[in-house]
């Protein structure tokens, strides 16, 4: 069976993924549907958690022409969701609702411990019998697949078979991404990755890291760079992809050279006619 989650397909093949954050808003979803990104992360940590808006955004992200021309069910832009609450708050219900709407993965903010990482993976898995060879982390996701199966374009039975987490299940289509956003999370990251199977992506939280280090939003500060270097080193030793949340034209080459593989960049709006008009008229 061909992959439905193109982000997993790319990471599994050692390729790079280009993504961006977006509000859970249908207008933004339509814009991103043809923007050329591999993935969009609908942002509900610092934007409102609105399940109905998220549902509509997932639907508006689909582009029938793209699907028809591709000849397969995989969406051109894979939708992931960053849920609102920190890892310690567990948030199993929000992960469940996002997955039940059809999201192909969950981004978990502020993961700091093995227990929090275990919960992140377990909340994205259906329960199974203890003698299953992939029993751990023991699934906690409740059963309500109808909308997600319809969104993926598969019968419920096939959805069950394909909706486990990758790379714990090599054929799984659900991506679990954890954000490491403080020194405690960095210190615990080796244990997290060694003891919790099923984490497919690690994202450094530069903003919160910089706040904790006393250099708010100074992403290039040596203290922040050292923290990110440690995350890259731990993940590289274990073959886990690392994302960069603030890729720009100025740092893209360095980001690639450093080894990041999930590259998040914000689209930039331009107003050339307005800017030229201001210049020609002198009316500022």
């Amino acid at each position: 069976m061909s992959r439905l989650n193109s982000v997993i397909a790319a990471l599994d093949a050692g390729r790079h993924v280009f993504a961006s954050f977006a509000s859970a808003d249908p207008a933004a979803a339509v814009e991103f549907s043809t923007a050329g990104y591999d993935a969009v992360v609908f942002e509900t940590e610092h934007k409102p958690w609105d399940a109905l808006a998220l549902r509509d955004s997932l639907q508006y992200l689909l582009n029938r022409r793209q699907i028809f021309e591709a000849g397969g069910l995989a969406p051109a832009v894979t939708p992931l969701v960053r849920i609102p609450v920190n890892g310690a708050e567990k948030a199993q219900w929000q992960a469940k609702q996002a997955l039940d709407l059809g999201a192909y993965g969950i981004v978990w903010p502020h993961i700091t411990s093995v227990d929090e990482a275990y919960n992140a993976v377990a909340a994205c898995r259906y329960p199974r019998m203890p003698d299953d060879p992939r029993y751990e982390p023991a699934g906690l996701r409740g059963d309500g697949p109808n909308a997600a199966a319809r969104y993926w374009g598969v019968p419920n039975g096939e959805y069950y078979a394909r909706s486990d987490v990758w790379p714990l299940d090599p054929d799984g289509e659900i991506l679990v991404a954890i954000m490491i956003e403080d020194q405690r999370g960095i210190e615990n990251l080796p244990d997290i990755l060694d003891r919790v199977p099923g984490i497919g992506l690690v994202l450094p939280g530069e903003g919160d890291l910089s706040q904790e280090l006393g250099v708010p939003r100074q992403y290039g500060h040596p203290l922040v760079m050292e923290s990110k270097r440690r995350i890259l080193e731990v993940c590289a030793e274990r073959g886990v992809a690392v994302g960069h949340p603030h890729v720009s034209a100025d740092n893209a080459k360095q980001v690639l050279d450093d080894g990041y593989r999930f590259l998040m960049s914000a689209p930039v709006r331009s107003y050339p006619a307005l800017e030229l008009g201001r210049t020609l008229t002198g009316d500022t």
Side-chain angles (χ1 to χ4, degrees):
M1 295 184 293
S2 60
R3 277 280 181 204
L4 297 176
N5 188 328
S6 62
V7 173
I8 289 176
L11 295 178
D12 197 23
R15 302 195 305 272
H16 295 85
V17 174
F18 295 88
S20 183
F21 284 113
S23 299
D25 173 80
V30 170
E31 183 176 347
F32 272 90
S33 70
T34 57
Y37 285 100
D38 301 309
V40 61
V41 179
F42 286 115
E43 163 59 16
T44 69
E45 182 189 13
H46 296 290
K47 301 287 185 182
W49 172 261
D50 184 335
L52 294 180
L54 178 59
R55 178 199 64 187
D56 291 347
S57 298
L58 288 166
Q59 295 295 330
Y60 277 95
L61 185 66
L62 293 179
N63 184 301
R64 293 178 65 188
R65 172 58 58 178
Q66 287 175 336
I67 294 172
F68 173 77
E69 292 177 348
L73 290 172
V77 182
T78 301
L80 312 173
V81 177
R82 178 160 77 168
I83 57 176
V85 301
N86 296 345
E89 298 173 84
K90 300 301 172 103
Q92 295 165 9
W93 70 274
Q94 287 173 323
K96 173 175 60 181
Q97 288 196 2
L99 293 173
D100 282 355
L101 291 173
Y104 286 87
I106 303 295
V107 179
W108 293 81
H110 292 280
I111 296 295
T112 64
S113 69
V114 169
D115 176 66
E116 293 168 14
Y118 183 100
N119 174 77
V121 176
C124 294
R125 307 186 73 205
Y126 287 118
R128 60 200 64 215
M129 296 297 288
D131 60 353
D132 189 293
R134 299 191 187 108
Y135 176 72
E136 295 285 357
L140 297 168
R141 180 182 173 187
D143 180 45
N146 292 349
R150 179 182 183 276
Y151 187 77
W152 285 20
V154 299
N156 282 5
E158 185 175 340
Y159 181 81
Y160 287 136
R162 303 182 71 165
S163 60
D164 202 2
V165 301
W166 174 89
L168 174 58
D169 180 348
D171 296 320
E173 300 280 7
I174 300 292
L175 181 70
V176 175
I178 63 170
M179 297 197 69
I180 301 298
E181 309 194 58
D182 56 27
Q183 298 304 304
R184 181 174 179 237
I186 294 174
E187 292 300 322
N188 288 332
L189 186 56
D191 275 349
I192 287 172
L193 297 182
D194 290 343
R195 296 172 57 186
V196 183
I199 295 168
L201 177 68
V202 172
L203 274 168
E206 294 182 304
D208 287 278
L209 278 170
S210 67
Q211 288 282 354
E212 181 189 46
L213 293 168
V215 289
R217 292 207 165 230
Q218 297 178 45
Y219 301 143
H221 192 281
L223 291 173
V224 179
M225 296 299 288
E226 172 60 16
S227 293
K228 293 192 295 181
R229 184 199 64 76
R230 291 164 61 197
I231 292 172
L232 279 166
E233 187 176 84
V234 169
C235 291
E237 290 172 352
R238 292 158 177 83
V240 178
V242 182
H244 194 294
H246 298 111
V247 180
S248 68
D250 294 330
N251 70 4
K253 185 179 185 304
Q254 186 61 57
V255 165
L256 289 169
D257 290 344
D258 288 342
Y260 294 97
R261 292 180 49 213
F262 187 89
L263 312 178
M264 304 195 72
S265 60
V268 178
R269 293 183 181 274
S270 62
Y271 306 92
L274 173 62
E275 292 165 359
L276 179 58
R278 294 288 193 193
T279 300
L280 294 174
T281 63
D283 295 329
T284 59

